[in-house]
């Protein structure tokens, strides 16, 4: 019997679904993750030029085209052993981070972003001796990478996402 994928589930997850590693509830959570990331992303994970090159080289278009595809497969492959509640907290953390990145970096000049990169480089010099030092600047770098790589500033935040973010309790995220 052929399994059909629910809407917004990347075909890369089919082996995990067939093996029973992803429950229907986890698949639904991962589908929500895909939709949520697509609301924020202003660019493709694999741009059209790269897709053409992959098609010419392999004869097939890649399965990971959008940022929703990327996050969905990454979370599924890393956290398939987690409970549904834990998986939902992970997805909430991603949402929180994407909104944070949008709010922190939208409209900021390049020198602001460069300062964050410099702070991270400086902190990494100390991290080998004190690995827990300056985790904030390292997290800012992750948020900056999201912002730039995903072109987060290209789409406005929805009122729903703003309200969710403002009501979010910090102790709810998976740290």
């Amino acid at each position: 019997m052929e399994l059909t994928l629910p809407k917004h589930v990347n075909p890369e997850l089919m082996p995990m679904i067939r093996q029973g590693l992803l429950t229907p509830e986890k698949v639904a959570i991962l589908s929500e993750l895909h939709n949520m990331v697509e609301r924020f992303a202003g660019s493709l994970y694999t741009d059209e030029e790269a897709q053409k090159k992959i098609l010419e080289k392999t004869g097939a278009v890649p399965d990971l085209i959008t940022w929703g595809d990327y996050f969905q497969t990454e979370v599924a492959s890393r956290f398939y052993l987690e409970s549904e509640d834990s998986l939902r907290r992970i997805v909430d953390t991603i949402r929180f981070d994407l909104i944070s990145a949008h709010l922190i970096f939208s409209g900021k000049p390049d020198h602001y972003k460069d300062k964050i990169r410099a702070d991270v480089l400086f902190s990494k010099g100390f991290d080998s001796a004190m690995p827990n030092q300056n985790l904030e600047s390292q997290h800012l770098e992750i948020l900056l990478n999201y912002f730039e790589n995903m072109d987060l500033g290209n789409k406005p935040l929805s009122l729903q996402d703003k309200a969710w973010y403002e009501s979010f309790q910090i102790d709810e995220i998976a740290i």
Side-chain angles (χ1 to χ4, degrees):
M1 179 176 175
E2 182 68 24
L3 288 175
T4 57
L5 288 176
K7 193 173 183 179
H8 304 294
V9 176
N10 193 281
E12 289 288 319
L13 300 183
M14 277 306 293
M16 296 178 79
I17 293 170
R18 283 190 183 113
Q19 294 170 22
L21 298 174
L22 296 173
T23 64
E25 186 172 330
K26 287 181 181 180
V27 172
I29 293 167
L30 292 167
S31 181
E32 290 171 24
L33 170 64
H34 183 279
N35 293 336
M36 180 264 299
V37 170
E38 291 304 306
R39 277 198 320 269
F40 294 102
S43 65
L44 295 173
Y45 176 73
T46 306
D47 64 37
E48 291 178 18
E49 174 105 8
Q51 290 177 47
K52 287 178 187 175
K53 288 179 183 176
I54 293 169
L55 178 61
E56 290 170 6
K57 187 174 183 178
T58 66
V61 176
D63 286 330
L64 301 181
I65 293 177
T66 69
W67 283 102
D69 296 335
Y70 169 79
F71 275 88
Q72 185 180 70
T73 57
E74 186 72 15
V75 168
S77 63
R78 284 185 176 202
F79 302 111
Y80 66 92
L81 292 175
E82 297 290 331
S83 69
E84 285 86 359
D85 288 340
S86 180
L87 190 61
R88 188 158 305 282
R89 283 191 302 275
I90 290 164
V91 170
D92 283 347
T93 301
I94 293 167
R95 184 178 183 187
F96 188 88
D97 279 355
L98 293 177
I99 295 170
S100 295
H102 193 291
L103 293 173
I104 292 168
F105 296 109
S106 287
K108 295 293 190 303
D110 287 341
H111 67 82
Y112 178 79
K113 298 169 189 171
D114 292 341
K115 169 134 178 30
I116 288 172
R117 287 187 191 91
D119 289 348
V120 169
L121 287 174
F122 182 76
S123 74
K124 286 180 180 179
F126 292 104
D127 279 349
S128 58
M130 299 182 295
N132 291 328
Q133 288 299 99
N134 219 344
L135 293 176
E136 182 180 334
S137 67
Q138 292 173 24
H139 190 235
L140 277 173
E141 180 187 40
I142 291 167
L143 298 180
L144 178 56
N145 287 337
Y146 284 163
F147 182 80
E148 292 181 334
N149 294 334
M150 297 173 69
D151 290 328
L152 294 181
N154 287 345
K155 293 183 178 178
L157 289 176
S158 71
L159 293 177
Q160 176 189 10
D161 286 319
K162 287 179 186 177
W164 178 87
Y165 184 83
E166 290 171 3
S167 70
F168 198 73
Q169 300 296 313
I170 198 72
D171 59 333
E172 293 177 10
I173 62 173
I175 297 179

